[in-house]
Amino acid sequence: MELPSPEETPGLDELWRSLLPLGYCTASGGYRRFAWNKADLACRAWFTAQATDRGLTVRTDRNGNQWAWWAEQLPGRALAIGSHLDSVPDGGAFDGPLGVVSSFAALDLLREAGWQPDRPIAIANFADEEGARFGVACAGSRLLTGQLAPDQARALTDEDGVTLAAAMEAAGQDPAAIGPDEELLGRLGQYVELHIEQGRALVDVGRPVGVATSIWPHGRWRFEFGGEANHAGTTRLEDRRDPMLTYAYTVLAARKKAQAHGALATFGRISVEPNATNAIPSKVNAWLDGRAPDEATLRALLADLEEAARERAGRDGASLSVVNESLTPVVEFDHALRDQLSKTLDEAPVLPTGAGHDAGILSARIPTAMLFVRNPSGVSHSPAEQAEMADCRAGVHALARAVSELAGDPAQLGVAW
Ligand code: GLV
Ligand code: MN
Ligand code: MN
């Protein structure tokens, strides 16, 4: 029996067809699947249905991550595969879902070929990877591995004032139970996450699938600029304390400092109070996403930027406070696993990334690796995110090959790797 060719990926089209409508916004052409909202719950129900159809046992862990188990009764620590189904606001179809869909499709391929694992296999759907609603990315995997304090997580609040605890409770998930889960971690041996590439490195080398080497350190900071609300038509310019000016200056400074440090800095979200066209704002909250090749550079970037913003706040009569909301250190994926996967996949190219992933969070506890699937435009976190179906099929095939080698005997497939 042989693994079918990449063109034959049973069920892949059907998996996509059933998932694509969930959380799709016709006005923007993007997805609005935010942790525990209606669209996210529909995706979670989809995950359960796909797993159940395949005779897998579905369990939701204490932190809301979903796990679909194959051959759970086998001895040994499981090979986990999967990704996430939530999205950024108006995100694309592939960031996250490609990994989950490919995991089910890879399992279908292996089973069609009659392959059997010799240790358990689990497909994961990690909760709240993007942090779009409550602000902390990878909340599910951070809680699982003890990298986010349960009290802090429960108190996270969305823009309507709903806490994560309340949102979980409304979805039938007990918020009192969240926190590190040693029992589950003890059952996991490795995690391999397939993901759309968020860049164009694979286009440049002309390959459909690559293997990740590392993730840049990154974090999120809330800049709170305070001023004085006043009438836009009657307040003289010299009498104003306008925090929007300080914010505007800080955005430009972030770009300059990022350039100078060889780093990345993005203000992608703000909230303004009172948010009236004819009033000087009393407050501007702005969230900075900062990323750099190493932690010292990231720290230096933030220190420089904060100093510039404070100096400007002084000139504007504004106040400034800066709160770090999350910080992820540099991640080096497991070298042995990375090299093994690259070799298995015909010397697949290895590449670093600036994007965060649950595989990065889990790497603190178990060996993890990532497979990237070519993205022709390199665009991600946008409705324009895209992958060719032929490359998605190549990704499924690569994942199936990886699973067959890591969790059993690839010789069962009669293929010489
Ligand atoms: C997740 O996609 C991130 O890098 O923010
Ligand atoms: Mn993402
Ligand atoms: Mn992702």
Side-chain angles (χ1 to χ4, degrees):
M1 253 175 297
E2 294 212 350
L3 197 59
S5 78
E7 286 69 44
E8 300 161 35
T9 40
L12 182 61
D13 293 347
E14 177 46 34
L15 280 158
W16 272 121
R17 241 196 316 278
S18 54
L19 182 60
L20 281 175
L22 309 181
Y24 181 73
C25 172
T26 27
S28 68
Y31 286 88
R32 297 183 179 175
R33 299 164 174 165
F34 311 142
W36 309 105
N37 77 356
K38 213 169 140 200
D40 187 43
L41 295 180
C43 289
R44 295 170 66 84
W46 174 91
F47 181 91
T48 301
Q50 294 300 331
T52 309
D53 280 357
R54 288 166 172 78
L56 308 176
T57 310
V58 183
R59 286 188 221 295
T60 303
D61 70 23
R62 297 167 43 179
N63 298 298
N65 307 304
Q66 293 180 296
W67 301 86
W69 292 87
W70 179 22
E72 198 180 12
Q73 77 291 349
L74 289 176
R77 298 176 83 171
L79 171 65
I81 56 178
S83 191
H84 62 95
L85 293 174
D86 65 316
S87 76
V88 297
D90 294 329
F94 297 89
D95 175 355
L98 183 61
V100 178
V101 163
S102 299
S103 296
F104 284 123
L107 184 139
D108 292 347
L109 268 187
L110 290 165
R111 285 176 156 186
E112 289 251 322
W115 181 87
Q116 288 293 327
D118 61 17
R119 59 175 166 131
I121 292 183
I123 298 179
N125 168 30
F126 282 101
D128 199 1
E129 195 272 351
E130 299 287 7
R133 180 171 175 193
F134 296 104
V136 175
C138 300
S141 56
R142 281 184 208 274
L143 282 164
L144 164 65
T145 53
Q147 297 174 65
L148 173 61
D151 281 343
Q152 187 192 340
R154 279 187 282 266
L156 292 170
T157 305
D158 72 8
E159 59 188 31
D160 296 323
V162 178
T163 61
L164 175 59
M168 289 181 93
E169 190 144 36
Q173 185 78 24
D174 179 10
I178 65 174
D181 192 338
E182 291 303 324
E183 198 269 329
L184 174 57
L185 283 170
R187 296 175 62 197
L188 305 177
Q190 290 161 318
Y191 176 54
V192 178
E193 178 169 356
L194 179 146
H195 204 277
I196 187 164
E197 192 197 353
Q198 296 166 297
R200 297 186 76 252
L202 290 171
V203 174
D204 292 344
V205 295
R207 295 282 298 264
V209 177
V211 179
T213 52
S214 57
I215 300 180
W216 277 20
H218 55 282
R220 296 180 181 189
W221 289 262
R222 184 169 59 83
F223 282 58
E224 184 175 315
F225 304 94
E228 184 179 51
N230 211 334
H231 197 292
T234 60
T235 317
R236 295 186 316 162
L237 293 179
E238 50 275 37
D239 293 339
R240 297 179 181 211
R241 289 173 47 217
D242 185 348
M244 190 65 93
L245 293 181
T246 322
Y247 162 68
Y249 173 88
T250 306
V251 175
L252 296 175
R255 168 65 186 237
K256 260 196 181 158
K257 306 277 178 205
Q259 192 103 43
H261 284 281
L264 297 168
T266 308
F267 279 103
R269 176 183 164 207
I270 63 168
S271 79
V272 181
E273 292 174 22
N275 206 21
T277 306
N278 56 356
I280 298 158
S282 56
K283 197 197 284 182
V284 175
N285 264 308
W287 284 263
L288 176 84
D289 178 306
R291 309 189 189 218
D294 58 75
E295 284 161 46
T297 306
L298 187 57
R299 273 195 300 275
L301 167 70
L302 259 294
D304 259 17
L305 182 59
E306 189 172 335
E307 188 185 329
R310 274 197 197 289
E311 189 274 326
R312 175 73 204 203
R315 284 194 272 146
D316 294 331
S319 63
L320 171 65
S321 76
V322 180
V323 180
N324 176 233
E325 294 194 337
S326 65
L327 189 62
T328 308
V330 67
V331 171
E332 274 285 326
F333 289 111
D334 187 79
H335 289 188
L337 194 51
R338 174 199 69 196
D339 293 346
Q340 185 182 0
L341 289 179
S342 172
K343 186 160 172 279
T344 297
L345 303 175
D346 309 319
E347 306 301 334
V350 293
L351 34 131
T353 179
H357 299 284
D358 295 304
I361 303 299
L362 257 74
S363 72
R365 297 299 306 274
I366 57 171
T368 65
M370 291 192 74
L371 301 180
F372 288 138
V373 171
R374 179 164 53 192
N375 174 343
S377 66
V379 172
S380 187
H381 285 184
S382 145
E385 182 182 86
Q386 195 209 338
E388 300 292 339
M389 226 356 127
D391 288 352
C392 295
R393 288 195 199 99
V396 171
H397 199 253
L399 186 60
R401 286 174 72 177
V403 170
S404 75
E405 180 160 315
L406 295 172
D409 182 3
Q412 270 187 42
L413 295 166
V415 178
W417 298 122

